[in-house]
């Protein structure tokens, strides 16, 4: 038996549930930002994953699992590596193990979906269809536990009778899994049906492994304190939150949820940073809006046909850096690289951005590293005749934010010299390309 080299603790945790089309990288990172301890990816089918090639994406600093048609099936990054659980849909032990070995170096845990009642999952004998085949459940889980270096879990629904449910979970526990997530509804039940806290509690009192309670969003979980109430009502070790987190992932915050507009803007920034497909970004934002879909912004979102249109509707702080990053991706260029120095005399900053082996900088100095990088991005965008975005609330206009060096005469010949290590030149907006300076029109 291969001993798991990374132990993921499932005791007393707040967990983002696996949700189809929702549990992609931007949502997982957002949930971690707001206090989730563990995040599950959406269910990904074994046959689809086995067609994928593992690719290190140096532009995004991610690891991508890419299908033959170049579509990214699963994307992850270092930030979540110790927190993300990969959930697979499978009905075959050997395929499940092959997938586990493909992804085990990039995730913290591996989960088998045994609770999804939707046809796309059950028609292949996956999801809730497995609940009627305990032998296959045992085979899949035992094979994974013995064959992978990561902790293995599964997510189930309750059976029609409590006796049958308890018999099944005891058999599951004997496979050696690390924890079990229980959605407290039967296979045929939907969110409008009450969740059975009693059934989850009976399971938790029967097993020695951690039990993760799931299914409380409709009746129980409206805020952070409700999560603990649901845990106590079910006697579970941890709580897995699905739709309540989909509506507002800041539900994991002890201080209470953040305003939806703020959450959506933060989600969009992650979507831009990690090149999330606009249709998925749009879908997740629509889930957050819910009844506000008929508002002017909601209608704009519904009609959006590109990432840029989504940004305009919901992210008034579309920064120059965001615009430059998106342009580089469209042009299939490497991600912009920023080099920033701080001037000891007055602690102001200046930045140089490298794009396509050319360097661009604003030679006026900023009060923060972030603003200096935005200014460098503006120079590059202007040199290409591209839209600059807006700096939003990060500071006043560029005119007011910039300062020349103290005691430096703008007419001093030194102001015309190229940038040197530790000292950047100090004349308004220039682009450095192939070692030559070329003044840009503008400020």
């Amino acid at each position: 038996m291969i001993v798991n080299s990374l132990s993921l603790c499932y005791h007393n945790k707040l967990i983002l549930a696996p949700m189809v089309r929702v549990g992609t990288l931007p949502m997982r990172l957002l949930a971690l930002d707001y206090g989730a301890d563990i995040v599950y990816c959406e269910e990904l089918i074994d046959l689809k994953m086995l067609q994928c090639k593992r690719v290190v994406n140096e532009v995004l600093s991610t690891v991508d699992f890419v299908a033959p048609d170049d579509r990214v099936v699963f994307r992850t990054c270092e930030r979540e590596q110790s927190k993300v659980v990969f959930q697979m849909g499978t009905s075959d032990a050997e395929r499940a193990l092959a997938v586990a070995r493909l992804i085990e170096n990039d995730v913290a845990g591996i989960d088998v979906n045994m609770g999804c009642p939707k046809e796309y999952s059950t028609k292949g004998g996956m999801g809730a269809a497995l609940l009627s085949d305990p032998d296959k459940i045992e085979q899949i889980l035992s094979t994974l536990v013995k064959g992978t270096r990561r902790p293995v879990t599964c997510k189930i629904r309750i059976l029609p009778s409590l006796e049958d449910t308890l018999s099944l979970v005891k058999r599951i526990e004997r496979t050696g899994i690390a924890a079990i997530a229980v959605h407290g509804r039967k296979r045929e039940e939907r969110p409008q049906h009450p969740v059975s806290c009693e059934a989850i509690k009976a399971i938790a009192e029967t097993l020695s492994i951690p039990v993760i309670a799931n299914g409380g969003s409709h009746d129980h979980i409206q805020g952070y304190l409700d999560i603990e109430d649901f845990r106590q009502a079910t006697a579970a070790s941890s709580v897995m939150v699905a739709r309540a987190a989909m509506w507002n992932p800041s539900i994991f915050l002890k201080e209470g949820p953040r305003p939806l507009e703020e959450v959506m803007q933060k989600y969009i920034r992650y979507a831009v940073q990690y090149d999330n497909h606009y249709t998925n970004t749009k879908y997740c934002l629509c889930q957050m809006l819910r009844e506000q879909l008929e508002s002017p912004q909601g209608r704009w979102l519904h009609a959006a046909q590109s990432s840029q249109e989504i940004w305009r509707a919901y992210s008034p702080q579309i920064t120059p850096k965001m615009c430059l990053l998106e342009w580089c991706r469209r042009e299939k260029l490497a991600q912009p690289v920023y080099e920033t120095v701080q001037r000891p005399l007055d602690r102001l900053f200046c930045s140089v951005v490298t794009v396509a082996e050319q360097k661009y900088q604003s030679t006026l100095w900023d009060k923060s590293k972030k603003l200096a990088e935005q200014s460098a991005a503006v120079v590059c965008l202007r040199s290409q005749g591209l839209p600059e975005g807006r700096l939003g609330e990060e500071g006043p206009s560029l005119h007011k934010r910039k300062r020349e060096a103290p005691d430096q005469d703008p007419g001093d010949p030194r102001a015309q010299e190229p940038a040197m290590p530790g000292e950047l030149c100090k004349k308004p907006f220039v682009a450095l390309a192939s070692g030559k300076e070329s003044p840009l029109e503008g400020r």
Side-chain angles (χ1 to χ4, degrees):
M1 177 176 178
I2 299 176
V3 178
N4 292 337
S5 64
L6 177 64
S7 179
L8 185 63
C9 177
Y10 290 92
H11 287 282
N12 196 29
K13 301 298 182 183
L14 302 178
I15 302 174
L16 177 70
M19 291 178 279
V20 173
R21 297 184 68 187
V22 175
T24 48
L25 184 56
M27 181 63 79
R28 300 196 304 267
L29 294 177
L30 196 57
L32 290 175
D33 284 350
Y34 287 130
D37 300 301
I38 299 172
V39 291
Y40 280 56
C41 75
E42 61 178 333
E43 177 196 25
L44 295 170
I45 307 303
D46 55 4
L47 289 171
K48 184 180 298 183
M49 284 299 298
L50 290 175
Q51 297 175 8
C52 291
K53 180 179 180 181
R54 182 184 184 275
V55 177
V56 176
N57 188 328
E58 295 181 353
V59 173
L60 301 181
S61 298
T62 60
V63 173
D64 300 343
F65 292 83
V66 184
D69 62 359
D70 291 332
R71 187 170 63 88
V72 176
V73 176
F74 177 60
R75 170 169 286 160
T76 185
C77 66
E78 185 178 2
R79 160 81 194 290
E80 67 167 3
Q81 187 175 10
S82 64
K83 306 286 188 180
V84 63
V85 174
F86 181 91
Q87 187 188 67
M88 73 174 81
T90 186
S91 60
D92 181 85
E94 293 307 314
R95 288 202 306 267
L97 181 58
V99 172
R101 288 177 171 168
L102 176 67
I103 54 91
E104 66 181 354
N105 291 328
D106 301 299
V107 299
I110 295 166
D111 183 82
V112 179
N113 181 356
M114 299 182 178
C116 180
K118 299 296 181 65
E119 183 182 358
Y120 61 77
S121 187
T122 59
K123 67 182 179 182
M126 301 176 293
L130 285 170
L131 296 176
S132 59
D133 194 343
D135 290 340
K136 185 173 286 186
I137 288 177
E138 183 176 355
Q139 183 184 21
I140 291 171
L141 294 178
S142 296
T143 300
L144 286 172
V145 169
K146 294 174 183 177
T148 181
R149 298 184 295 113
R150 293 293 179 262
V152 176
T153 58
C154 67
K155 184 172 183 287
I156 69 167
R157 285 189 172 229
I158 58 177
L159 300 178
S161 79
L162 181 58
E163 181 181 1
D164 289 341
T165 302
L166 295 179
S167 176
L168 175 63
V169 297
K170 285 189 283 187
R171 188 170 178 180
I172 288 174
E173 182 180 40
R174 287 195 294 269
T175 66
I177 64 170
I180 182 170
V182 180
H183 185 132
R185 293 184 177 87
K186 301 181 182 69
R187 173 176 173 173
E188 67 276 6
E189 291 181 328
R190 294 298 179 265
Q192 63 269 26
H193 295 97
V195 63
S196 177
C197 293
E198 296 77 13
I200 301 176
K201 184 176 182 180
I203 294 170
E205 292 173 345
T206 298
L207 303 183
S208 59
I209 60 174
V211 172
I212 304 166
N214 175 236
S217 290
H218 190 274
D219 299 320
H220 297 268
I221 301 175
Q222 306 298 319
Y224 177 84
L225 295 178
D226 299 328
I227 299 176
E228 175 59 19
D229 291 342
F230 184 57
R231 190 190 69 79
Q232 293 188 12
T234 58
S237 297
S238 299
V239 174
M240 175 180 281
V241 185
R243 289 177 305 129
M246 174 181 71
W247 297 329
N248 189 332
S250 68
I251 195 169
F252 294 112
L253 277 177
K254 292 181 181 179
E255 300 80 7
R258 301 300 302 161
L260 188 59
E261 183 176 359
E262 174 187 316
V263 173
M264 293 174 71
Q265 289 177 7
K266 192 168 184 178
Y267 175 87
I268 290 172
R269 292 190 191 103
Y270 274 133
V272 172
Q273 180 178 352
Y274 291 103
D275 199 22
N276 202 48
H277 196 278
Y278 87 90
T279 56
N280 182 254
T281 300
K282 178 177 172 179
Y283 177 83
C284 291
L285 293 172
C286 284
Q287 304 313 304
M288 295 183 200
L289 275 180
R290 302 172 70 194
E291 65 273 5
Q292 298 180 43
L293 274 173
E294 293 304 315
S295 68
Q297 280 189 319
R299 289 194 294 270
W300 181 289
L301 173 64
H302 196 266
Q305 296 298 314
S306 68
S307 294
Q308 291 87 343
E309 291 182 14
I310 294 173
W311 301 345
R312 294 189 192 105
Y314 283 95
S315 189
Q317 298 175 25
I318 302 171
T319 65
K321 286 183 67 176
M322 293 170 68
C323 292
L324 181 57
L325 178 61
E326 176 64 16
W327 179 75
C328 287
R329 288 175 181 163
R330 287 200 309 268
E331 298 298 316
K332 301 188 183 304
L333 300 174
Q335 185 167 326
V337 175
Y338 294 86
E339 299 175 80
T340 306
V341 297
Q342 185 178 32
R343 190 165 56 194
L345 182 63
D346 53 13
R347 304 184 67 82
L348 294 178
F349 295 83
C350 194
S351 185
V352 176
V353 61
T354 302
V355 175
E357 300 183 352
Q358 296 192 24
K359 297 181 182 296
Y360 304 85
Q361 72 176 106
S362 167
T363 57
L364 297 172
W365 294 72
D366 279 291
K367 63 183 180 182
S368 74
K369 179 176 181 289
K370 287 184 178 180
L371 288 173
E373 291 177 351
Q374 299 289 4
S375 298
V378 167
V379 174
C380 181
L381 290 165
R382 288 184 177 178
S383 72
Q384 301 296 330
L386 298 169
E388 300 170 17
R390 290 178 285 178
L391 291 176
E393 298 175 355
E394 291 193 13
S397 69
L398 290 172
H399 288 95
K400 298 178 181 178
R401 288 198 331 271
K402 308 290 183 170
R403 279 198 241 165
E404 298 286 353
D407 304 322
Q408 170 81 35
D409 181 355
D412 192 308
R414 288 177 298 170
Q416 306 302 317
E417 296 174 357
M420 300 296 292
E423 179 186 20
L424 298 182
C425 55
K426 308 175 181 65
K427 58 182 183 300
F429 291 103
V430 301
L432 303 182
S434 304
K436 298 181 179 180
E437 299 174 347
S438 57
L440 296 178
E441 296 179 1
R443 304 190 210 276

